[in-house]
Structure formats: structure tokens, C-alpha cells
Amino acid sequence: METVIALVLFLSILTGCTGETLTNVKSSSITPHAAQTEEAVRYTVETETCADTIQAEDGTELLVYQFEVPELEVCRADGEIVNEAETDQEEQALTAAETFNARFADWLDGSSLDVFLEAAKEELEFSRAEGLTWSPYTLELQCEVYQNDRMVSVSGTYYSNTGGAHPNTAVLSWNFDLREGTFFIPALLAADSDEFLKAVEQELNVQALQIAADADLPPEEYFWADYTDILRDWVNYAVSFDETGMTVAFSPYELACYAAGEQVFHLPYDRILPYLSEHGKRVLGISQED
């Protein structure tokens, strides 16, 4: 039941739309450039932490949680935070920030905890009736944020321990176009999305073969037998960006067994550059054009 509960929250967060670094990234020969001109408005991202312990009526701890989520704010050129728009550009920027922050609202207002609390109450009663040791549910979200002039990319690790044989871990990601004010999928950055998806798939397969070889195992034994089908669907997993390139991450169980942990693949920008549109290059900050 604990696995089902964790997936309920995980899926509800994704459909309602994510600390530690998720991967040791490699350096790239292509470096995102800095802004060429000072903008009338700027965006800043800070992480906000929401943490609490929820107890039963008798004081028994039911649930302990700590969620670290990003919050986007709009600033003027002088650094003043914009709370009320004075120009059309500020109005547009505030709308973009509202769209971004709404994606993470469920983490902060506690509305996503109800299903966990009900389950914790039931299991506490069961544990007492059976004379079992009780441990409160534990939920955590850690986020890392990368930002350039045109986008914000958030990579997150969601952890839940609800009394099973081991905790549940999920890697998450969110990518946001500041200019358009919308979340986007990586395929929208490509000149030809089919070519881009296929090229990344091929690179993931190459890296997967190396990972399996390093473990001295055939890939069909290190990963699930259908791992190539899973890699083909990479765009629907956790994809994030930073100053060095694109990272594709799979949670435990998604590509391999739990003991193998997260499976993380990194592609430097020079690997994906030939497949990007001019729009995509601008969003990722690797084009001098605007």
C-alpha cells in the first residue's frame, strides 16, 4: 500500500503541473552566454522550505515532512521586487511568475498530504492492535534550480518512507520558458522533434551499454529487459538543464531494479546543438541572437 500511496502523490503533482545535485555533470565546450542588454524586469528564483510534524490526538507523530520548492519573483532593474505591475512588461512577468509558482503550490499548502494522513492513521491503529512498532511517515522534496535569461530548469528528488521494505524515491523535473510564461517539453526546443528525440535515444543507448559494461553485466540483466523501449520514451521522464547540458534521469524501478538506484544520463550541449532550433538555442542560452 505504501508504494501505491507514494505514486498517488507523485502522479497528482505531475498532473497538477518538482538540495542535492542529482548528477555529477560533465563540462561542455559550449557555455551559455550572459545577457547582452539589461532588461527592464528580471526574474529571481529562491527556494522556500515548508516543514512540519503532524500528530495524532494523543500526541503520536503521524507524519513528518519537509518540502523545498522554488519560488519565482519579478524584480525591476534596480532590484526592487515587483508586487504590483506598473507597465505591460511587468504585468506579463507577474503572470509568468504566477504560472510558475502555481505548479508548486500543492507542496506548500499541505493539500497533497490528506491521503498520507488517512493511511498513517489506519496503519497506526493496526500497529497498536498487532503490537507492532510504529514509525511516522516521512516525506521529503529537495530541489536544485538552474536559471538563465530565458528559462528556469528545476530538478527534484522526492522521497517517501511509509513503512515498507525500503523508501520510495522519484526524480522529477520542470522546465519553464520565462519569455513565453509556460512550462515546456524538450522536444519544443528542436528544429525537427523526431530527429532530436531519435538522436537523444541513440546517445542514451550508448551510455546505457557503457553503464552495464562497467558493472560487468549484459544490458538486459543490468536494466529491465525492455530497457530500449523505456529509453525511446525518454522525453516523458525527468529531463533538466544546467550550464553544461541536458540530463535525463530515471527513478529507481523505472529503468532498473531498486538496488541499481537512479539511472542518470548527461548530454553536453555540443551533443544536442545540431538538433536545436534557433528558438531552442535562445531558451538554453547558447545563442547570441535574441
Side-chain angles (χ1 to χ4, degrees), residues 264-287:
V264 181
F265 303 81
H266 184 72
L267 289 78
Y269 281 125
D270 53 8
R271 297 284 182 88
I272 64 174
L273 182 62
Y275 306 97
L276 298 176
S277 65
E278 289 304 314
H279 167 76
K281 295 173 186 176
R282 289 193 294 270
V283 171
L284 297 178
I286 54 179
S287 172

Side-chain angles (χ1 to χ4, degrees), residues 78-283:
D78 60 3
E80 179 186 3
I81 296 177
V82 179
N83 294 312
E84 294 186 6
E86 297 179 357
T87 66
D88 291 342
Q89 187 180 23
E90 291 181 355
E91 182 65 38
Q92 182 179 358
L94 286 176
T95 299
E98 181 179 358
T99 299
F100 179 90
N101 293 332
R103 183 65 59 90
F104 304 96
D106 288 349
W107 294 101
L108 295 176
D109 64 16
S111 61
S112 60
L113 298 175
D114 290 346
V115 63
F116 285 97
L117 283 174
E118 291 304 314
K121 291 176 183 178
E122 293 178 6
E123 291 203 23
L124 174 59
E125 292 181 4
F126 176 81
S127 297
R128 286 174 170 171
E130 298 296 322
L132 302 175
T133 301
W134 164 254
S135 296
Y137 284 9
T138 302
L139 310 175
E140 295 181 7
L141 175 69
Q142 293 180 325
C143 288
E144 180 181 341
V145 181
Y146 167 71
Q147 178 186 1
N148 64 26
D149 298 330
R150 280 291 303 267
M151 67 165 286
V152 175
S153 184
V154 182
S155 55
T157 301
Y158 169 66
Y159 164 95
S160 66
N161 189 341
T162 56
H166 52 70
N168 297 296
T169 303
V171 291
L172 313 173
S173 66
W174 299 265
N175 299 300
F176 189 77
D177 187 326
L178 293 168
R179 186 72 57 85
E180 300 295 330
T182 58
F183 289 92
F184 66 88
I185 60 174
L188 294 179
L189 305 177
D192 184 309
S193 59
D194 289 339
E195 288 186 3
F196 177 61
L197 296 176
K198 185 64 176 179
V200 174
E201 176 195 346
Q202 292 174 345
E203 175 64 21
L204 297 183
N205 273 280
V206 170
Q207 293 190 27
L209 290 176
Q210 186 60 55
I211 292 172
D214 291 343
D216 199 24
L217 287 172
E220 295 81 4
E221 293 184 16
Y222 185 89
F223 303 105
W224 301 133
D226 62 343
Y227 80 97
T228 56
D229 294 332
I230 300 172
L231 292 179
R232 184 176 301 116
D233 194 35
W234 65 268
V235 75
N236 290 314
Y237 290 86
V239 182
S240 58
F241 301 89
D242 64 12
E243 66 276 4
T244 68
M246 182 176 77
T247 295
V248 182
F250 297 84
S251 305
Y253 283 133
E254 289 182 334
L255 191 62
C257 66
Y258 182 85
E262 302 170 10
Q263 300 301 311
V264 181
F265 303 81
H266 184 72
L267 289 78
Y269 281 125
D270 53 8
R271 297 284 182 88
I272 64 174
L273 182 62
Y275 306 97
L276 298 176
S277 65
E278 289 304 314
H279 167 76
K281 295 173 186 176
R282 289 193 294 270
V283 171

